[in-house]
Amino acid sequence: MEKNDKFFLPELPYGYKDLEPYISKEQLTIHHQKHHQAYVTGANAIFEKLENSRKDNTDIDVKSTLKELSFHVGGYILHSLFWKNLAPANQNKNPEGALAETLNKEFGSLEKFKKEFSQTALSVEGSGWAALTFEKELGKPLIMQIEKHNANIYPTLEIILVLDVWEHAYYLDYKNDRLKFIEAFWNIINWEEVNKRLEKIK
Ligand code: MN3
């Protein structure tokens, strides 16, 4: 893979109005172009700050700089994953293959998984994310909460499905009704992409 020396805002795999009526064009545009862009810009600025301090041999507050960096890198990565696990509702199929098997085995049914994932997203304190991961040693899917963009992450587990429940993700469409946004989310999931991610790490 060709490497860049900084982050760029990835293009969405669909148009800004393609997730309507579940996510409006206005909401998706601002979320992608303003919020996701802010993490790209933030991370790149800190990379530059680190590079300069190494080059010029100047001291910086390493602890706070690295904390801020993890916030922006987390925001960049999570949004990049999030856009790809969404798809227009009319392209939506149910989970198949390894994903369907894994979810059924662990949760009993897709409905039960959705309920647990929804409760996870609903109960994130303040701003954060719900994410589905897979633990290879036990062969077990795990649901986790991510506070802000960077707290409480299982350090090595790859995310296969993620939902942004920061208010900036839904406020224009749903005001403060997070539950309504979570319910809408289930209509626009790219299960094929989620299955691909699972099969890659299994
Ligand atoms: Mn967001």
Side-chain angles (χ1 to χ4, degrees):
M1 210 171 102
E2 209 183 307
K3 303 286 182 203
N4 297 312
D5 62 353
K6 59 181 183 173
F7 286 145
F8 293 92
L9 184 68
E11 275 187 36
L12 296 181
Y14 33 74
Y16 283 113
K17 54 178 174 31
D18 292 350
L19 300 182
E20 291 186 342
Y22 303 104
I23 299 177
S24 68
K25 180 183 175 193
E26 192 189 9
Q27 177 70 75
L28 186 58
T29 304
I30 199 169
H31 195 178
H32 180 244
Q33 292 183 2
K34 301 291 179 199
H35 293 283
H36 195 177
Q37 179 64 56
Y39 306 122
V40 171
T41 308
N44 289 339
I46 297 167
F47 288 138
E48 207 182 309
K49 179 178 159 183
L50 285 167
E51 197 185 312
N52 288 337
S53 92
R54 290 164 191 159
K55 205 166 53 196
D56 306 337
N57 216 8
T58 49
D59 284 336
I60 52 166
D61 180 342
V62 172
K63 183 181 173 187
S64 71
T65 303
L66 294 187
K67 187 173 178 192
E68 205 188 335
L69 181 64
S70 82
F71 176 84
H72 288 294
V73 171
Y76 168 76
I77 292 172
L78 286 166
H79 284 92
S80 303
L81 286 167
F82 183 50
W83 307 134
K84 289 214 299 212
N85 73 221
L86 299 179
N90 59 6
Q91 292 173 20
N92 218 335
K93 292 181 239 149
N94 275 328
E96 289 171 3
L99 179 65
E101 207 178 292
T102 299
L103 295 180
N104 282 330
K105 188 174 166 227
E106 180 69 16
F107 299 95
S109 67
L110 178 63
E111 287 316 305
K112 284 185 180 165
F113 160 69
K114 283 161 109 174
K115 190 177 164 203
E116 205 170 308
F117 192 91
S118 295
Q119 285 168 343
T120 303
L122 189 63
S123 60
V124 170
E125 268 179 48
S127 299
W129 301 71
L132 178 67
T133 67
F134 187 78
E135 208 290 313
K136 279 197 277 191
E137 197 177 321
L138 302 173
K140 219 175 170 41
L142 292 177
I143 298 175
M144 65 179 175
Q145 287 186 336
I146 300 168
E147 292 175 357
K148 292 188 281 188
H149 296 313
N150 53 347
N152 298 341
I153 295 181
Y154 293 103
T156 62
L157 297 194
E158 282 182 53
I159 291 169
I160 60 175
L161 171 70
V162 74
L163 168 59
D164 187 347
V165 289
W166 281 58
E167 255 181 13
H168 74 221
Y170 58 87
Y171 198 80
L172 291 177
D173 292 340
Y174 300 101
K175 299 291 184 286
N176 60 345
D177 196 342
R178 186 187 283 183
L179 180 60
K180 233 173 158 179
F181 172 58
I182 295 167
E183 284 164 359
F185 164 74
W186 294 115
N187 293 289
I188 47 171
I189 295 181
N190 187 340
W191 290 111
E192 230 176 288
E193 171 67 21
V194 180
N195 189 40
K196 250 192 259 166
R197 285 184 198 162
L198 176 67
E199 286 186 333
K200 217 176 91 192
I201 56 175
K202 246 191 142 171

